[in-house]
Amino acid sequence: MEMLEYDIRKYAERHPDKDAIVSGQEKVSYKELWRMIEERSNELQSSTEHINVIKTSPSIGFLVEYLASHLANKVAVPLAHDIADEEYTNIKQSLENADIPDTCADILYTTGTTGKVKGTMISHDAILANAENLMDAQHFSSDVAFVISGPLNHIGSLSKVWPTMMVGGTLILTEGMKNIDAFFAALDYASSHIATFLVPASIRMLLLFGRDRLSSYAHKIEFIETGAAAISQTDMEDLCAILPNTRMYNTYASTETGIVCTHDFNSDYCIAGCLGKPMKHSSVYISDEGYIITSGRTMMLGYIGDDELTRSIIKEHRCHTQDYGFLDEEGRLHLKGRHSDIINVGGYKVNPLDVENVAMSHPDVRDCICIADQHPVLGTALRLLVVTNNHIPLNKKSVALYLKDRLEGYMVPQMYSQVESINRTYNGKLDRKSYSKF
């Protein structure tokens, strides 16, 4: 990719000794990084393979392999480091004779609401447009030291590699939030311009188990981006309270749409579900049915090997999502949930996000999920599964009354259960499918 070559080589010449990537005790300068990328790119160019399937890891080696793939004009296919051998083999074999457009740069595998694994083709132009959207809207600068704590085979974290490299910043790779001490160690990096991307589940973990420690970094955390799942009003407000001078971005993005909207909720508008205005390379529309539709340079090329599924989503150069939303009078996008998540209770349509958002503000609730369950009298009814703070016994009446004071009557769950944990997906989303037969 010409832009990649230009930027990294430029910084290798202008700032050769500046840290480009830090991973634990290892680090590599821009000069060293460019040398490693060139060497690996030359090796890849000698191969007849058009694709490069890579198991990801938060390491310098992975990023060299990934970036060298682009420089060598290969299609990079980053997969989870712990992917099953059979699945890895199946994906690799399926790609051998696949029809891949010349403009394709990455193929990212995702699991949608159907549970079907889909290979999403991303163009070179979309990668650059995503990077430029983030650089412009979130004000990336050459001083930024961006902490990556999520999987690099998904757009949430992978998309931060490009803007950081394009401005000449530093990437700090961690093992994720499994080791909270390692995350805080990354924040100790010698920079007063720390930034990171955290899914809402990770933010909640930090607020519960590292609140004071996070607060101690208030002077050096420049911005935090969240996305991939809905963040609660309570967590938004708590985060703003302990990091009052930090920009807090809530972003609307997906592998299919690219990075579309973002909103700094630590400004004058801190409302759950508000995702801000479209970025420079994106546009947003709302269908007559209330679905979010996007367009622009950041969109995917399509699903590999599935033209029918591609046509069901990409229509007239627009990406039709299954997300409900609306645009307010300021042109800001608000997310109202996914079509498949809506629960029909006695003819009323309940968005479980509305219930969960209020429940999360109850002082005893640490985590929760609202699901459909069978009631012996009412038929389909709402059940709230709750993880309590410090695992104290759940006071069902207290929670029910709390919700009754804040929600319409039909939205108040009829049943309550205390659980040890809530099932979530790899990127922190509530795993609603796992509760479909509760």
Side-chain angles (χ1 to χ4, degrees), residues 94-367:
S94 71
L95 292 171
E96 289 177 355
N97 299 311
D99 184 15
I100 303 175
D102 291 339
T103 54
C104 183
D106 284 355
I107 299 176
L108 304 182
Y109 279 83
T110 64
T111 302
T113 55
T114 62
K116 180 181 178 181
V117 176
K118 299 170 291 187
T120 309
M121 296 183 289
I122 311 297
S123 70
H124 294 274
D125 188 54
I127 289 175
L128 294 177
N130 281 326
E132 289 174 0
N133 271 359
L134 289 168
M135 290 159 58
D136 178 70
Q138 296 182 355
H139 312 296
F140 276 68
S141 73
S142 60
D143 295 322
V144 71
F146 201 101
V147 178
I148 289 182
S149 61
L152 284 162
N153 56 310
H154 296 291
I155 193 171
S157 292
L158 187 61
S159 63
K160 308 310 178 291
V161 170
W162 297 96
T164 304
M165 292 279 96
M166 288 172 67
V167 298
T170 300
L171 287 168
I172 304 175
L173 309 180
T174 74
E175 292 282 353
M177 297 302 293
K178 295 178 181 178
N179 184 345
I180 197 170
D181 290 332
F183 175 77
F184 282 116
L187 300 187
D188 285 329
Y189 182 77
S191 171
S192 58
H193 300 273
I194 297 289
T196 190
F197 171 82
L198 297 169
V199 297
S202 295
I203 289 174
R204 185 133 190 94
M205 184 186 303
L206 289 170
L207 291 173
L208 287 170
F209 304 114
R211 185 186 187 92
D212 291 340
R213 292 178 70 183
L214 185 62
S215 178
S216 70
Y217 292 94
H219 64 288
K220 63 185 302 186
I221 301 180
E222 186 171 309
F223 69 89
I224 294 175
E225 181 191 3
T226 188
I231 182 172
S232 72
Q233 184 74 33
T234 299
D235 286 352
M236 290 169 66
E237 292 172 355
D238 282 354
L239 198 58
C240 293
I242 64 175
L243 300 174
N245 299 314
T246 298
R247 303 195 303 276
M248 304 288 183
Y249 294 105
N250 198 6
T251 298
Y252 183 69
S254 70
T255 315
E256 291 84 354
T257 64
I259 316 293
V260 177
C261 296
T262 198
H263 174 65
D264 178 4
F265 59 84
N266 202 5
S267 58
D268 60 349
Y269 196 75
C270 184
I271 299 294
C274 181
L275 300 162
K277 297 179 181 180
M279 302 185 200
K280 63 186 293 185
H281 295 304
S282 304
S283 298
V284 174
Y285 318 88
I286 305 298
S287 72
D288 293 340
E289 297 80 17
Y291 293 122
I292 298 171
I293 301 172
T294 73
S295 67
R297 288 172 51 193
T298 64
M299 285 186 355
M300 70 171 181
L301 292 169
Y303 296 117
I304 191 163
D306 200 331
D307 292 340
E308 182 179 354
L309 183 59
T310 298
R311 287 192 297 270
S312 72
I313 293 174
I314 305 297
K315 304 173 185 178
E316 298 179 342
H317 306 291
R318 294 182 175 185
C319 186
H320 291 245
T321 77
Q322 289 295 296
D323 295 327
Y324 282 122
F326 69 91
L327 296 170
D328 65 19
E329 64 279 1
E330 300 293 331
R332 295 173 298 216
L333 177 65
H334 292 251
L335 183 65
K336 299 297 291 181
R338 289 190 64 82
H339 171 73
S340 58
D341 295 341
I342 301 301
I343 303 172
N344 194 317
V345 180
Y348 291 100
K349 292 183 178 180
V350 179
N351 182 352
L353 276 176
D354 293 334
V355 180
E356 293 152 3
N357 192 42
V358 174
M360 288 293 285
S361 65
H362 189 284
D364 293 342
V365 176
R366 174 177 154 189
D367 202 1

